[in-house]
Amino acid sequence: MAPHDIRRPFKRYAISDQQKRREIALQRQAQQRRDSQHHARCLASSVLSLPNENNPEPIPPEPTTEPEPE
Amino acid sequence: VAGIELPHNHWPELIGSLLSNIHQLPSHVKQATLETLGYLCEEVSSDVVDQDHVNKILTAVVQGMNSSEANNDVRLAATRALYNALGFAQANFTNDMERDYIMRVVCEATLSAEVKIRQAAFECLVSISSTYYEKLAAYIQDIFNITAKAVKEDEEPVALQAIEFWSSICDEEIDILDEYGADFSADSDVPCFYFIKQALPALVPMLLETLLKQEEDQDQDEGAWNLAMAGGTCLGLVARTVGDDIVPLVMPFIEENITKPDWRQREAATYAFGSILEGPSPDKLTPIVNVALNFMLSALMKDPNNHVKDTTAWTLGRIFEFLHGSTIETPIITQANCQQIITVLLQSMKDVPNVAEKACGALYFLAQGYEDVGSVSSPLTPFFHDIVQALLTVTHREDSGESRLRTAAYETLNEVVRCSTDETAPMVMQLLPVIMMELHQTLEGQKLPSDEREKQAELQGLLCGCLQVLIQKVGSSEQTKYVFMQHADQMMGLFLRVFACRSATVHEEAMLAIGALAYATGPDFAKYMQEFYKYLEMGLQNFEEYQVCAITVGVVGDICRALEEKILPYCDGIMTQLLKDLSSNQLHRSVKPPIFSCFGDIALAIGENFEKYLIYAMPMLQGAAELSAHASGADDELSEYTNLLRNGILEAYSGIFQGFKGSPKTQKLMPYAPHVLQFLDSLYLERDMDDMVTKTAIGVLGDLADTLGSNARHLIQQSVSSKDFLNECLLSDDHLIKESAEWASNAIRIVSG
């Protein structure tokens, strides 16, 4: 049972640049993941909602469904 | 042995037989018994010892501590045993009489003639201050008197513990007040008793006295911890606890001492000033800083004492950290004084290593304060060239290995680059080959002895960190990207060579830099994959240094987005390793949510080719989803982790659905749809999601509808998520949740025809 160490940081600046680099990298990755998802969704919705003029093969329409009862 | 056996109830008679020894003579048996009880309490969790035994242990320990105990060894063993037993004493501390008795005995022990007993007794008080803060009101006045006497008169190890008591009270009150501040409506578990505010008029002078007790060489000795250091640290915590109220109590001390001939007085005054810069409002501090700034700059240049200069540079850094930046109304750095400040700091970077390191730190915060100036112009632009040159010169100093000087110089360079604007882009571009050359030189060296190798590895880590920042800066704008592209091959070659070095920090830094490089190069990154792959795999296998593993998982995501389907040849290996990581008990749990997100990145990149991984990945996701859906947090840390895990799982689902979109293999996902919807429903019903999870969850509903189309119509319509959850999200104030919900609503509308 040695005495408990009570040393605290002394005249140390609070920020660690290494930690900051990690966090910035994580933020960048999260942002890009969101952008990729967003891009995929935009592609999907444009395929779904816009008539594709350049494509000789018309996009098969979504199978028509019967109106659902409320 | 008891640590293993007691939790399994394999040694029920142990405590009883130990306690029976207490009443025996001779003293050495008593002492050994108390020591054993102390170790036992240190090792064993408090829930495996029943209250009856706890009571008996505490009785024995407190009896051993009592001033009537003649043998000091017994008394010391008992006091140290109490330190370890305090965690068991929850019930006893709620009983007024028992608590009074324990506190009386501890306070008496602080007055023992034996220094070790006094020290151990103060250690008990420190532990009580954090464990039983809310029970201290009745004793705080007495404790103040005891600690004040110890700080003033006692030997250093005892005085340090006495100061630590007040630092620890500050920690408690800062936490409580933070909680108050975060949510006014929250019923904090523990109310704030404002002990520090009440003690302030006596506490501050006591701490200020300690500042004058510096040691001659304390700034050179990394392991040093003395009265002046502890007192200043405590003063800083007091300032954070009480804010403005501390300022008038400290100012007279500063004014009286700052110009005295004795360096100790000048240093103490400066340290006091630097210590109180975090906590009080800028309104209160700015006028004082405006007066002090010139004096500080002059002291940094002219004071004959290195300690004074060290503390002055540190104080300037704290001024820029807390009182300079876009959020501060009245700027303390103006057109009129900017040049002088920079000139002094650059000059000071030529001083002895400990002073130069603090000057670099001050420059770091000076640059940081300008990070929001916009993309065009910064007040630092006219000095940019000189700043960069001065920092590079510091990194080349023979003595830059001392006092973290080289690290500080590179880190400051990073911040200066991060906060730079278009005006200085040409200089930032020129820096890229310079830092590459530095890294190249570290790789050319002959075989080094092991301590040199360690320093070399540290330098390589710093250079990779710097290159990461440069890649991000130069690669982020179309105007400068071409320069980066010119160097990309060479840079990648350097990073691959860095992997030959075994240090974890270097791997992490090189990996982060490669992630940034992959993002900036895009599909061109494919040409590096063959060579890079083995290091990627090594990173994913690095269970012990989980930070390296976590960073590598993130880089897999970067590469997926850069290469898209070109990553396919490497996916078997990557997926195998990620699945192994998920199944491992060895891997730190914090890496698991990003691994799930990474499944999403891979699926989005390779589309329907993800099919062959479905049978492995989906059960993992389902298992984790079931666990996380109902794991509503017992504590904040667990609920934060649960939400991270949920987010990872949902990002995986999102990526998988979007990846398969439009493929004939979409049907392969149908069997998993009921579970995904069930997961969304249970998340909604648990009502403990954070905003991030809500946004991702409602997005997954849209992705599922979008990809599976009318085949999933009935399933979707049966789910709560497609009705109540979606409707709530559509009405959300959070723009991102609303946007995701609109996406989901649109996709469901199309599916429903």
Side-chain angles (χ1 to χ4, degrees):
Chain A
M1 286 180 283
H4 185 56
D5 189 12
I6 47 166
R7 264 176 300 185
R8 287 169 181 259
F10 169 67
K11 284 201 274 183
R12 272 282 144 83
Y13 297 114
I15 286 185
S16 144
D17 197 69
Q18 191 185 13
Q19 190 55 31
K20 187 165 179 168
R21 288 197 293 279
R22 265 186 212 142
E23 279 163 18
I24 290 174
L26 286 175
Q27 277 167 20
R28 176 181 59 74
Q29 287 163 348
Q31 180 61 46
Q32 283 170 248
R33 183 174 293 127
R34 279 196 295 274
D35 291 349
S36 298
Q37 279 291 348
H38 188 69
H39 182 67
R41 285 174 187 168
C42 284
L43 277 181
S45 14
S46 66
V47 168
L48 286 173
S49 56
L50 297 173
N52 195 329
E53 290 167 6
N54 301 330
N55 196 336
E57 295 261 331
I59 299 287
E62 283 292 316
T64 45
T65 51
E66 288 166 21
E68 283 296 309
E70 286 297 305
Chain B
V1 175
I4 300 164
E5 299 220 330
L6 282 186
H8 300 289
N9 211 14
H10 283 172
W11 201 355
E13 69 281 15
L14 169 70
I15 292 175
S17 57
L18 277 173
L19 289 168
S20 68
N21 283 345
I22 286 289
H23 306 293
Q24 290 178 7
L25 293 170
S27 295
H28 70 265
V29 178
K30 225 184 208 178
Q31 180 193 339
T33 304
L34 285 163
E35 279 169 3
T36 311
L37 284 171
Y39 286 126
L40 201 143
C41 293
E42 196 176 9
E43 288 297 322
V44 175
S45 152
S46 60
D47 51 6
V48 302
V49 183
D50 62 43
Q51 188 58 41
D52 181 45
H53 276 143
V54 171
N55 293 343
K56 286 179 177 156
I57 292 172
L58 283 173
T59 308
V61 166
V62 173
Q63 263 171 18
M65 281 177 75
N66 208 311
S67 49
S68 61
E69 172 59 56
N71 185 314
N72 273 345
D73 293 335
V74 171
R75 216 174 157 202
L76 178 62
T79 313
R80 287 181 176 168
L82 180 69
Y83 178 85
N84 290 320
L86 281 168
F88 293 62
Q90 295 287 349
N92 313 78
F93 262 81
T94 51
N95 178 314
D96 290 354
M97 258 176 46
E98 289 183 44
R99 186 181 61 242
D100 282 348
Y101 185 60
I102 296 172
M103 291 303 291
R104 187 168 64 76
V105 171
V106 174
C107 289
E108 276 173 13
T110 65
L111 306 172
S112 156
E114 174 61 41
V115 60
K116 283 191 176 154
I117 296 177
R118 297 200 300 277
Q119 184 184 350
F122 274 110
E123 283 178 34
C124 289
L125 280 182
V126 172
S127 173
I128 290 168
S129 70
S130 57
T131 318
Y132 301 109
Y133 167 83
E134 73 278 13
K135 306 277 186 227
L136 282 179
Y139 317 103
I140 202 79
Q141 182 63 50
D142 289 339
I143 296 176
F144 180 81
N145 294 337
I146 294 169
T147 50
K149 191 169 170 349
V151 171
K152 214 172 209 158
E153 297 167 8
D154 213 324
E155 292 184 38
E156 193 172 60
V158 183
L160 288 175
Q161 293 292 344
I163 294 175
E164 181 61 18
F165 173 84
W166 292 101
S167 291
S168 169
I169 294 283
C170 288
D171 288 341
E172 293 304 312
E173 295 196 345
I174 290 168
D175 281 352
I176 296 169
L177 295 171
D178 262 1
E179 233 168 85
Y180 281 5
D183 186 358
F184 278 106
S185 62
D187 296 323
S188 175
D189 295 341
V190 180
C192 187
F193 287 92
Y194 299 99
F195 293 138
I196 298 295
K197 201 178 164 80
Q198 288 166 37
L200 211 54
L203 184 61
V204 170
M206 172 183 100
L207 294 172
L208 291 173
E209 269 311 294
T210 66
L211 300 188
L212 294 157
K213 300 187 176 160
Q214 307 96 323
E215 277 168 27
E216 204 60 60
D217 291 322
Q218 67 179 32
D219 285 323
Q220 271 78 44
D221 180 2
E222 293 225 345
W225 187 244
N226 59 40
L227 215 54
M229 292 169 152
T233 307
C234 187
L235 190 67
L237 291 167
V238 171
R240 286 175 55 199
T241 314
V242 303
D244 287 358
D245 293 351
I246 198 164
V247 178
L249 295 169
V250 175
M251 284 317 292
F253 178 85
I254 299 172
E255 285 158 2
E256 193 193 324
N257 289 288
I258 196 108
T259 52
K260 284 282 160 65
D262 181 358
W263 74 264
R264 287 172 196 280
Q265 287 175 280
R266 298 197 305 280
E267 197 278 338
T270 316
Y271 190 27
F273 187 42
S275 296
I276 61 164
L277 291 168
E278 185 184 10
S281 61
D283 284 352
K284 188 91 181 168
L285 291 173
T286 305
I288 302 167
V289 167
N290 277 330
V291 175
L293 196 57
N294 253 331
F295 183 91
M296 294 278 151
L297 293 170
S298 162
L300 187 52
M301 285 296 87
K302 296 185 190 139
D303 200 287
N305 183 277
N306 280 337
H307 292 294
V308 177
K309 286 198 281 190
D310 183 299
T311 305
T312 305
W314 171 77
T315 301
L316 284 167
R318 302 255 301 172
I319 291 174
F320 303 148
E321 183 177 3
F322 300 111
L323 298 166
H324 158 63
S326 59
T327 57
I328 305 289
E329 262 176 55
T330 327
I332 47 146
I333 303 175
T334 60
Q335 251 186 329
N337 65 16
C338 190
Q339 169 148 25
Q340 188 202 2
I341 292 170
I342 290 169
T343 308
V344 169
L345 291 180
L346 298 194
Q347 188 63 31
S348 186
M349 278 155 53
K350 297 176 189 157
D351 211 317
V352 291
N354 58 303
V355 176
E357 185 237 337
K358 305 293 192 302
C360 288
L363 196 55
Y364 186 108
F365 290 109
L366 184 86
Q368 189 176 73
Y370 292 123
E371 69 184 341
D372 301 323
V373 289
S375 64
V376 185
S377 184
S378 159
L380 289 187
T381 297
F383 315 105
F384 192 85
H385 177 265
D386 290 349
I387 290 173
V388 170
Q389 282 310 316
L391 288 167
L392 288 174
T393 307
V394 171
T395 65
H396 293 136
R397 277 172 60 155
E398 289 271 321
D399 55 2
S400 66
E402 293 171 36
S403 296
R404 284 185 83 250
L405 176 56
R406 197 166 54 189
T407 305
Y410 277 118
E411 293 189 338
T412 305
L413 188 59
N414 292 345
E415 190 65 0
V416 168
V417 168
R418 276 193 289 252
C419 301
S420 65
T421 62
D422 291 352
E423 285 174 321
T424 43
M427 283 184 269
V428 173
M429 288 192 279
Q430 284 166 18
L431 202 51
L432 200 58
V434 174
I435 303 294
M436 283 169 61
M437 182 51 82
E438 302 270 347
L439 183 57
H440 173 78
Q441 278 162 0
T442 70
L443 294 160
E444 287 301 285
Q446 61 285 35
K447 278 216 154 197
L448 295 164
S450 69
D451 60 328
E452 287 292 315
R453 251 201 328 256
E454 214 169 286
K455 281 185 202 154
Q456 191 82 323
E458 196 188 309
L459 176 58
Q460 287 169 347
L462 291 169
L463 291 165
C464 286
C466 192
L467 284 173
Q468 183 206 344
V469 174
L470 284 165
I471 295 168
Q472 259 161 10
K473 192 74 189 180
V474 178
S476 66
S477 120
E478 287 305 321
Q479 280 79 39
T480 51
K481 201 170 173 175
Y482 74 95
V483 175
F484 158 75
M485 291 305 274
Q486 283 170 2
H487 294 295
D489 286 354
Q490 245 185 319
M491 223 183 312
M492 191 64 195
L494 291 169
F495 294 143
L496 290 170
R497 287 173 68 190
V498 166
F499 282 116
C501 160
R502 262 180 249 138
S503 147
T505 316
V506 181
H507 277 210
E508 189 186 326
E509 294 288 0
M511 201 49 93
L512 279 169
I514 288 174
L517 189 137
Y519 167 57
T521 49
D524 282 352
F525 192 83
K527 60 182 168 181
Y528 309 126
M529 271 309 281
Q530 203 167 4
E531 231 182 314
F532 173 54
Y533 178 73
K534 66 175 169 187
Y535 300 113
L536 193 73
E537 199 168 66
M538 267 168 59
L540 295 177
Q541 285 164 350
N542 198 339
F543 288 150
E544 292 87 43
E545 287 132 352
Y546 71 91
Q547 293 273 23
V548 176
C549 188
I551 296 290
T552 313
V553 171
V555 170
V556 172
D558 282 328
I559 296 173
C560 286
R561 287 180 288 271
L563 298 188
E564 300 194 326
E565 70 283 1
K566 283 189 192 160
I567 198 173
L568 193 56
Y570 305 96
C571 281
D572 281 356
I574 292 171
M575 279 302 291
T576 306
Q577 200 47 54
L578 291 176
L579 290 163
K580 267 192 206 166
D581 287 350
L582 280 178
S583 323
S584 160
N585 294 326
Q586 273 175 288
L587 187 65
H588 195 275
R589 69 174 188 177
S590 66
V591 191
K592 298 194 174 177
I595 292 179
F596 286 127
S597 305
C598 189
F599 282 175
D601 299 338
I602 294 171
L604 204 54
I606 64 172
E608 61 180 11
N609 294 300
F610 196 81
E611 180 200 354
K612 60 175 168 175
Y613 307 124
L614 286 176
I615 52 162
Y616 308 105
M618 283 307 203
M620 290 267 190
L621 284 162
Q622 288 185 1
E626 265 157 41
L627 267 178
S628 82
H630 308 293
S632 52
D635 58 73
D636 289 354
E637 205 188 328
L638 183 67
S639 74
E640 197 188 327
Y641 177 72
T642 303
N643 276 317
L644 286 172
L645 194 62
R646 290 167 175 175
N647 198 59
I649 296 163
L650 292 164
E651 285 185 334
Y653 284 143
S654 216
I656 293 169
F657 282 122
Q658 280 303 335
F660 273 74
K661 170 74 197 165
S663 149
K665 293 181 180 168
T666 305
Q667 285 311 310
K668 302 273 181 188
L669 296 178
M670 266 313 283
Y672 306 108
H675 187 275
V676 174
L677 288 167
Q678 225 176 332
F679 179 46
L680 298 179
D681 286 355
S682 52
L683 285 180
Y684 173 66
L685 295 170
E686 287 283 323
R687 296 208 163 265
D688 59 356
M689 277 183 278
D690 61 18
D691 285 353
M692 181 179 66
V693 176
T694 308
K695 182 224 145 219
T696 323
I698 206 66
V700 169
L701 181 68
D703 296 327
L704 185 147
D706 184 30
T707 296
L708 297 182
S710 56
N711 297 324
R713 180 164 36 110
H714 289 294
L715 279 173
I716 293 170
Q717 281 163 350
Q718 281 161 15
S719 72
V720 192
S721 301
S722 68
K723 302 184 190 78
D724 301 356
F725 183 23
L726 181 58
N727 289 334
E728 272 180 38
C729 291
L730 284 168
L731 296 171
S732 170
D733 295 333
D734 186 308
H735 151 76
L736 291 172
I737 294 177
K738 204 174 159 139
E739 193 182 74
S740 272
E742 277 161 6
W743 149 253
S745 167
N746 203 26
I748 291 176
R749 194 175 319 120
I750 291 167
V751 169
S752 307

